Amino acid sequence: MKKFLYSIPVFLLASTLFLLNQAIAGQVCDIFIPGYNAEKYVENEDYFGRWDKQVYWNSQQEIPAAAAELAPKILATIDQHCPLGSAVVIRAHSYGVSVVSYILGKGHRYVGQFPQHEFVKIYRRVFALYSYTGAFHGTSIMDILCSNGLINKLAGYFSQACVLSLTTATNHHPFFYISSVGVPIYLIYSTDRSPYGGVPGMVISKWGISWTQFAIEGKRNQNDSVLPTFSTRGCATTAPLLNSDSNCLKLDPDYMLDFHWLESTSHNEFLDNPRIMWMKYETTSP
């Protein structure tokens, strides 16, 4: 897998500062944020497995409203479970990544002006964000849901609620509101589009590609069966990525780094796998 060499020096500096803070604090506190759910709240579903510090929220809201609800829950979890002075690490999945990015980005922007704001308090405590197939640019599957509801026939992952922040319309995405998250973002993404009979993956594969390119030349927009890869890899544009190892300029190039590529595990298949969900950047990828 290729690296973005032009962004590595600054990113490594940020990562070094992160590790230094961990060493000073002496302890890391991991918090897990679920993504989009068919039900508004999933307290009893063990989204990531049976470990604690999972913060449940109503994911059937647009980013600003979702962030306003999620932020106090993150702070309450930090206060309850994270020792004073510990380095808080957020591990978020899918749409949860979008909302957490918005919270951190707003906190980063207003850290000097509004020190008591919940977003700023979270930004001051969080030292890294692990993005598990993050929905930075939404998906054409949600475009279909918001237009005519056919998604229920394509994949069981989405419910019947249209969330504009999960469509491909860029004016609803987290980086429409923010410029930088301000903490290291480790991107874990997949190119396995086979689940659900391969139907959603095929729909996403066609997005942004002409019929000639698709049918004759065999070109495919890479995806993980739910989200396109240009979304999960935090690309600055929504141009299709035609190969599993294609590169792109990042939305937040000073802080985003491709960390781990799941070639045979799709969007939802790794969530209860501790080997993946407890990965650390300073160790070798599993």
Side-chain angles (χ1 to χ4, degrees), residues 9-224:
V10 177
F11 189 91
L12 289 180
L13 174 61
S15 299
T16 300
L17 293 174
F18 164 54
L19 296 176
L20 177 62
N21 276 303
Q22 287 193 76
I24 294 173
Q27 191 169 3
V28 176
C29 184
D30 294 280
I31 293 176
F32 296 87
I33 311 294
Y36 183 93
N37 295 284
E39 302 295 332
K40 288 186 176 181
Y41 298 96
V42 291
E43 284 90 339
N44 299 320
E45 292 189 9
D46 298 314
Y47 193 95
F48 296 106
R50 296 188 177 276
W51 47 81
D52 60 7
K53 291 177 287 187
Q54 298 185 38
V55 184
Y56 298 103
W57 55 291
N58 178 5
S59 62
Q60 297 183 9
Q61 305 176 90
E62 307 303 335
I63 286 176
E69 179 201 335
L70 180 58
K73 294 185 177 183
I74 291 176
L75 285 175
T77 301
I78 292 174
D79 292 340
Q80 181 179 356
H81 294 284
C82 297
L84 186 63
S86 60
V88 176
V89 172
I90 291 183
R91 297 174 180 271
H93 179 236
S94 193
Y95 188 38
V97 175
S98 297
V99 180
V100 170
S101 295
Y102 175 89
I103 291 171
L104 292 172
K106 287 288 189 179
H108 176 55
R109 177 182 297 174
Y110 296 112
V111 65
Q113 296 96 317
F114 305 105
Q116 297 306 311
H117 195 282
E118 290 171 333
F119 295 176
V120 174
K121 289 181 178 179
I122 292 172
Y123 170 71
R124 287 185 178 276
R125 288 298 306 272
V126 173
F127 291 96
L129 169 61
Y130 283 78
S131 168
Y132 293 89
T133 59
F136 292 105
H137 279 303
T139 174
S140 55
I141 296 295
M142 185 59 78
D143 294 346
I144 297 174
L145 169 61
C146 290
S147 62
N148 57 28
L150 290 178
I151 189 63
N152 288 321
K153 297 180 181 179
L154 297 177
Y157 176 65
F158 289 106
S159 72
Q160 55 187 339
C162 166
V163 177
L164 295 176
S165 297
L166 276 170
T167 65
T168 57
T170 57
N171 61 317
H172 296 290
H173 298 160
F175 279 82
F176 177 79
Y177 303 99
I178 64 174
S179 57
S180 176
V181 172
V183 302
I185 306 171
Y186 304 109
L187 303 170
I188 296 95
Y189 63 96
S190 167
T191 52
D192 179 4
R193 59 179 185 265
S194 63
Y196 311 114
V199 177
M202 187 60 67
V203 171
I204 302 172
S205 292
K206 173 62 179 64
W207 191 90
I209 297 176
S210 69
W211 278 110
T212 299
Q213 292 174 317
F214 186 80
I216 299 177
E217 299 177 21
K219 293 184 177 180
R220 298 290 184 270
N221 181 21
Q222 299 295 305
N223 65 86
D224 63 11

